[in-house]
Structure formats: structure tokens, C-alpha cells
Amino acid sequence: MKPSKALQIMKSVLNGGNSPFLIGGTGVGKSAVVRLLADERANGREVVIGETNPNKDQYGFIDFRLSLYESVDLGGLPYIHNQESDELAVQRRAFMGNLPVSGEGILFFDEYAQAHNSVQAVVGQLIYEGRLGEYTLPDGWKIICAGNRHTDRAGSNKLPSHVVGRTSMIQFEHDTGDWLDWAIVNDVHPEVLGFISFQPEWLNVFDSKVITPQPSPRSWTRLSDTLKTEPPIELLQDIAKCDVGETASIEFHTFCSLKLQLPNLDDIVNGEEVEVVDSNGMMYATIVALVTTLREASDLKVNEYFENALAYIDRFPTEEYGIFFVRSVISARSELKETSTYSAFKVKHQELEV
């Protein structure tokens, strides 16, 4: 199921006192959705990463990549404790101080299927009983798990039956619309946004037999981070190839090359009459360029530029172009939400999410 639906189901599962388990392909956004859920459950409190003892103004988020851990890292090191009163020796465990001790938060066990069997057993006990030896999980903490399918050849194993029986298994799939919603809010590079909007089939292309880079939500986000450093344009295709593979990098480079054929952006933002571009690729490329122009515009000019750019894009054949433009611009320049142009656009498209 798509991420937004999985998010809603996770909320219900947690409210019912159970632990959700996201199972899906590599790089499709499972971890990002869990972090989004933590932000929502924080309800305005500060989300503190790795904090085992958050205070009342904080919400904890502890992320264990289980493939990197051994059983003692979670289950503790056993030692013999002598009780002086009756001279009996008992075995106890020295825990590592990495598990929650108070407050509220999410304990996220990622890469579950890639973990060693002994680690899976320890976590399975924590899920089922809420305790490990002398350790007890605080009531305010919730457990969420995630893992890849063993068919994805990501070093994953079949999940043990006791884990399947103790968690609510949620089949997680990528969704272009959900990813674009997330990407706009999280400042993914405009050219990546424009390309995926133009050719959504390139968001996630996975073949378990291929060991070279492939397109995925994670790899596009990684490429976005590199593009923000403004690398030399002549290296663009080679850089993209490192993250999304050869074929996708060619398509992406071709899309970015459309910038050389764009209409005059200065004329558009200044309200001059400009002929509307006539292909989907050029329309998305023009929107990407206009978003960049407004992002860099001065405070004195940005309102006027926004109004004129939107008037131009409104001449495109479908309203989806305008929605994409407005959402991207508002993410970059939130002050434009206070303009009459934005208010009028929301009223006009009130049946759509802007």
C-alpha cells in the first residue's frame, strides 16, 4: 500500500497497543514515513534523536539499524551478582544504556530482516513482552519495525514466524504522489521534482538481478543533495549515474538540458506576453526554472513575480501544472501564503490539495 495509507494504518495499530512492521523494497521510504509519524506523535514537542530519557517537552526517536548490532548490544552482557543477604549468586545483565528509560517516543528497529537470528530473537521478546531480563520498556514508548523482502536480495532473510505473529505486517510500496508531497516539504532539488513529475515511472525501478545503482526514492533524494552543491553542468549525467544508474541518468540529463530551450523567464515574471511552451517536458522544465527564479527573488519583487508566473502557468493545458508550481513555490517562500494570489488560487482549486 502507498505510504500515506501505511501511515494511517500505523497510527491505528499503535493506538491499539500493537507494533506495526513495514515490509517493502529497498529505498522506497519506509524510514522516512516512520520519522514523519514521530513528528506527528510529538504534537509540537521537540523530536530528540537517540535520547533515552526525553523530558515532558521532548519526544524521543531511537533508530536501530539491526544489521549493525549483536544480541548483547540490546540484550546486555550477562554477569553474576552476589546477594550478600543470603549469599546466593544470580545472573543479571548489564545493559548498554541505549534503550529508553522514561518519557515518550518511538523505538524503531529498521533492517530487521537483515539482522542476525540472535538479534531478531532479542527484539522479538521486547515486542512481545515489553521487557528484556530486568529491563522494562516504558509505557510511553512504542515499537515500530521495518525490513526488506527476502526476494529483494538485500541481504534479507525470511522473517521468523514469531515476529510475524507478534506484529501487524504492513506491505509498503512507493507512490509517486506521496513521494512528491514529501519531497516538496523536504526541499528536494527542483530539477529532481520536475523530472519525476514529468516521468513518474522513473521514481522506482528495481531489478533484484542488477547490482549497479538503480532509481529509488532514496537514490533520487541522495542525488538532490549533490545537486544542491551546484556541481559543474558538464558532470551532471555522470553524477546522476552514480545514484540512479546509467539509463535514468540519460533521461534526467535530457530533461535538464531543456533549460537551454526555455522561454524568457524575465519576461514571464514581469508579466510580458510570452508564448506558451508546447510539450510536457518543456512545461515541467519551465516550472522548475520559475520556482528557482522565485526562490532567489528579492522580497520586493517576489509577490509580483509569483502572480505573473502563475498567470503564465494557468495557460497550460491542465491544472496539475499549477498545483505543482504553487506547492513548490510555497515550500521555498512560505510568505507567499499571505498573498491574495495564493488565496485566490486556493479558492479556485478548493477541491484539490494545495
Side-chain angles (χ1 to χ4, degrees):
M1 63 187 68
K2 67 180 186 177
S4 57
K5 188 174 181 180
L7 178 62
Q8 296 303 316
I9 291 177
M10 280 197 294
K11 293 178 184 178
S12 297
V13 171
L14 290 179
N15 290 339
N18 297 308
S19 296
F21 194 126
L22 297 178
I23 185 77
T26 60
V28 294
K30 299 184 294 296
S31 301
V33 169
V34 175
R35 177 54 202 271
L36 180 60
L37 178 59
D39 291 338
E40 290 192 13
R41 291 183 67 89
N43 196 26
R45 291 172 287 178
E46 177 190 5
V47 176
V48 285
I49 309 299
E51 177 60 62
T52 62
N53 187 27
N55 60 40
K56 63 181 179 63
D57 297 318
Q58 298 174 325
Y59 190 81
F61 184 76
I62 300 177
D63 182 353
F64 282 102
R65 304 299 167 109
L66 292 181
S67 60
L68 305 178
Y69 288 84
E70 298 181 3
S71 60
V72 295
D73 295 326
L74 295 172
L77 286 167
Y79 70 95
I80 300 300
H81 174 72
N82 291 311
Q83 302 185 88
E84 296 180 1
S85 59
D86 53 12
E87 297 185 353
L88 290 178
V90 296
Q91 178 177 295
R92 292 188 178 176
R93 288 183 174 271
F95 291 94
M96 304 300 178
N98 52 9
L99 292 172
V101 295
S102 67
E104 296 184 1
I106 286 177
L107 183 56
F108 180 37
F109 294 119
D110 200 1
E111 299 181 357
Y112 197 106
Q114 294 162 274
H116 190 272
N117 292 340
S118 61
V119 177
Q120 292 183 354
V122 168
V123 176
Q125 182 182 354
L126 191 57
I127 293 171
Y128 186 59
E129 301 180 10
R131 57 180 299 165
L132 292 170
E134 305 89 56
Y135 171 80
T136 300
L137 184 71
D139 290 339
W141 283 78
K142 305 296 182 182
I143 294 176
I144 299 177
C145 302
N148 301 129
R149 301 166 300 212
H150 76 279
T151 54
D152 293 330
R153 299 180 70 178
S156 304
N157 303 306
K158 287 185 178 181
L159 293 174
S161 59
H162 71 270
V163 173
V164 176
R166 294 172 180 175
T167 59
S168 298
M169 306 297 296
I170 301 173
Q171 297 294 327
F172 190 96
E173 301 289 344
H174 80 280
D175 179 83
T176 302
D178 280 1
W179 185 81
L180 286 172
D181 290 345
W182 175 89
I184 289 171
V185 173
N186 286 274
D187 195 32
V188 169
H189 196 278
E191 289 186 352
V192 173
L193 289 174
F195 176 69
I196 297 301
S197 297
F198 171 47
Q199 293 187 283
E201 68 273 14
W202 283 107
L203 175 61
N204 191 68
V205 181
F206 179 76
D207 184 344
S208 61
K209 303 182 187 67
V210 175
I211 59 174
T212 55
Q214 299 183 74
S216 71
R218 179 187 297 159
S219 62
W220 285 113
T221 304
R222 190 167 58 246
L223 175 59
S224 165
D225 294 337
T226 303
L227 294 178
K228 291 176 185 177
T229 68
E230 300 183 359
I233 188 65
E234 63 270 16
L235 296 180
L236 179 60
Q237 184 173 329
D238 290 327
I239 288 173
K241 180 181 176 181
C242 297
D243 287 318
V244 298
E246 183 172 9
T247 306
S249 69
I250 293 172
E251 295 287 341
F252 180 67
H253 182 261
T254 299
F255 172 78
C256 294
S257 299
L258 293 174
K259 290 188 295 186
L260 302 175
Q261 308 169 40
L262 293 179
N264 190 304
L265 300 179
D266 287 338
D267 286 349
I268 292 175
V269 297
N270 284 297
E272 302 292 335
E273 181 63 30
V274 177
E275 184 177 356
V276 174
V277 292
D278 59 0
S279 71
N280 288 338
M282 283 297 296
M283 290 175 187
Y284 277 112
T286 300
I287 290 173
V288 168
L290 286 172
V291 169
T292 301
T293 299
L294 268 71
R295 185 194 298 268
E296 299 172 352
S298 68
D299 292 341
L300 292 177
K301 288 288 189 180
V302 68
N303 290 1
E304 176 189 353
Y305 284 3
F306 179 45
E307 180 180 1
N308 292 331
L310 184 55
Y312 177 78
I313 293 170
D314 273 343
R315 296 161 61 192
F316 289 5
T318 64
E319 58 192 3
E320 281 74 15
Y321 295 103
I323 295 286
F324 174 59
F325 170 72
V326 170
R327 296 190 66 203
S328 299
V329 168
I330 293 301
S331 178
R333 302 292 296 262
S334 60
E335 70 269 25
L336 292 175
K337 283 187 175 181
E338 308 302 323
T339 63
S340 58
T341 301
Y342 178 75
S343 297
F345 186 84
K346 283 207 69 174
V347 170
K348 181 180 178 181
H349 301 279
Q350 56 186 319
E351 76 283 3
L352 302 174
E353 184 179 352
V354 181

PDB file of all heavy atoms in Angstrom, residues 46 82 189 200 210 270 303 305 341:
ATOM      1  N   GLU A  46       9.648  18.854  20.788  1.00  0.00           N
ATOM      2  CA  GLU A  46      10.901  18.646  20.056  1.00  0.00           C
ATOM      3  C   GLU A  46      11.174  17.156  19.926  1.00  0.00           C
ATOM      4  O   GLU A  46      11.126  16.417  20.915  1.00  0.00           O
ATOM      5  CB  GLU A  46      12.050  19.315  20.792  1.00  0.00           C
ATOM      6  CG  GLU A  46      13.404  19.095  20.136  1.00  0.00           C
ATOM      7  CD  GLU A  46      14.564  19.559  20.993  1.00  0.00           C
ATOM      8  OE1 GLU A  46      14.318  19.965  22.152  1.00  0.00           O
ATOM      9  OE2 GLU A  46      15.716  19.500  20.505  1.00  0.00           O
ATOM     10  N   ASN A  82      26.191 -11.294  43.312  1.00  0.00           N
ATOM     11  CA  ASN A  82      26.133 -11.965  44.618  1.00  0.00           C
ATOM     12  C   ASN A  82      25.258 -11.158  45.568  1.00  0.00           C
ATOM     13  O   ASN A  82      25.518  -9.967  45.806  1.00  0.00           O
ATOM     14  CB  ASN A  82      27.534 -12.129  45.215  1.00  0.00           C
ATOM     15  CG  ASN A  82      28.366 -13.120  44.444  1.00  0.00           C
ATOM     16  OD1 ASN A  82      27.907 -14.223  44.155  1.00  0.00           O
ATOM     17  ND2 ASN A  82      29.600 -12.732  44.109  1.00  0.00           N
ATOM     18  N   HIS A 189      15.618  18.914  -4.550  1.00  0.00           N
ATOM     19  CA  HIS A 189      16.017  19.833  -5.625  1.00  0.00           C
ATOM     20  C   HIS A 189      14.922  19.952  -6.690  1.00  0.00           C
ATOM     21  O   HIS A 189      14.342  18.949  -7.110  1.00  0.00           O
ATOM     22  CB  HIS A 189      17.318  19.340  -6.269  1.00  0.00           C
ATOM     23  CG  HIS A 189      18.006  20.381  -7.092  1.00  0.00           C
ATOM     24  ND1 HIS A 189      17.633  20.656  -8.388  1.00  0.00           N
ATOM     25  CD2 HIS A 189      19.034  21.212  -6.795  1.00  0.00           C
ATOM     26  CE1 HIS A 189      18.417  21.609  -8.859  1.00  0.00           C
ATOM     27  NE2 HIS A 189      19.280  21.968  -7.926  1.00  0.00           N
ATOM     28  N   PRO A 200       7.044  10.021 -13.981  1.00  0.00           N
ATOM     29  CA  PRO A 200       6.929   9.349 -12.679  1.00  0.00           C
ATOM     30  C   PRO A 200       7.372   7.896 -12.687  1.00  0.00           C
ATOM     31  O   PRO A 200       7.676   7.339 -11.636  1.00  0.00           O
ATOM     32  CB  PRO A 200       5.428   9.478 -12.357  1.00  0.00           C
ATOM     33  CG  PRO A 200       4.759   9.726 -13.675  1.00  0.00           C
ATOM     34  CD  PRO A 200       5.746  10.503 -14.482  1.00  0.00           C
ATOM     35  N   VAL A 210      20.129  -6.820 -10.734  1.00  0.00           N
ATOM     36  CA  VAL A 210      21.065  -5.740 -11.075  1.00  0.00           C
ATOM     37  C   VAL A 210      21.786  -5.278  -9.818  1.00  0.00           C
ATOM     38  O   VAL A 210      21.153  -5.027  -8.781  1.00  0.00           O
ATOM     39  CB  VAL A 210      20.312  -4.560 -11.723  1.00  0.00           C
ATOM     40  CG1 VAL A 210      21.255  -3.384 -11.960  1.00  0.00           C
ATOM     41  CG2 VAL A 210      19.663  -5.009 -13.024  1.00  0.00           C
ATOM     42  N   ASN A 270       7.776  39.240 -15.225  1.00  0.00           N
ATOM     43  CA  ASN A 270       7.440  40.668 -15.306  1.00  0.00           C
ATOM     44  C   ASN A 270       6.129  40.926 -16.027  1.00  0.00           C
ATOM     45  O   ASN A 270       5.760  42.076 -16.286  1.00  0.00           O
ATOM     46  CB  ASN A 270       8.573  41.445 -15.982  1.00  0.00           C
ATOM     47  CG  ASN A 270       9.758  41.638 -15.041  1.00  0.00           C
ATOM     48  OD1 ASN A 270       9.637  42.297 -14.010  1.00  0.00           O
ATOM     49  ND2 ASN A 270      10.893  41.063 -15.404  1.00  0.00           N
ATOM     50  N   ASN A 303       6.326  38.866  -4.747  1.00  0.00           N
ATOM     51  CA  ASN A 303       4.863  38.803  -4.873  1.00  0.00           C
ATOM     52  C   ASN A 303       4.415  39.027  -6.312  1.00  0.00           C
ATOM     53  O   ASN A 303       3.554  38.314  -6.849  1.00  0.00           O
ATOM     54  CB  ASN A 303       4.210  39.838  -3.962  1.00  0.00           C
ATOM     55  CG  ASN A 303       4.343  39.493  -2.493  1.00  0.00           C
ATOM     56  OD1 ASN A 303       4.937  38.478  -2.141  1.00  0.00           O
ATOM     57  ND2 ASN A 303       3.806  40.346  -1.632  1.00  0.00           N
ATOM     58  N   TYR A 305       6.291  38.652  -9.012  1.00  0.00           N
ATOM     59  CA  TYR A 305       6.771  37.536  -9.825  1.00  0.00           C
ATOM     60  C   TYR A 305       5.850  36.317  -9.682  1.00  0.00           C
ATOM     61  O   TYR A 305       5.576  35.612 -10.657  1.00  0.00           O
ATOM     62  CB  TYR A 305       8.192  37.154  -9.395  1.00  0.00           C
ATOM     63  CG  TYR A 305       9.281  38.085  -9.864  1.00  0.00           C
ATOM     64  CD1 TYR A 305       8.981  39.251 -10.583  1.00  0.00           C
ATOM     65  CD2 TYR A 305      10.625  37.822  -9.585  1.00  0.00           C
ATOM     66  CE1 TYR A 305       9.985  40.114 -11.009  1.00  0.00           C
ATOM     67  CE2 TYR A 305      11.633  38.670 -10.014  1.00  0.00           C
ATOM     68  CZ  TYR A 305      11.304  39.809 -10.709  1.00  0.00           C
ATOM     69  OH  TYR A 305      12.297  40.651 -11.137  1.00  0.00           O
ATOM     70  N   THR A 341      -2.846  36.361  -4.317  1.00  0.00           N
ATOM     71  CA  THR A 341      -2.685  35.417  -5.428  1.00  0.00           C
ATOM     72  C   THR A 341      -2.845  33.980  -4.937  1.00  0.00           C
ATOM     73  O   THR A 341      -3.548  33.171  -5.549  1.00  0.00           O
ATOM     74  CB  THR A 341      -1.297  35.587  -6.078  1.00  0.00           C
ATOM     75  OG1 THR A 341      -1.167  36.933  -6.553  1.00  0.00           O
ATOM     76  CG2 THR A 341      -1.122  34.627  -7.239  1.00  0.00           C
TER      77      THR A 341
END
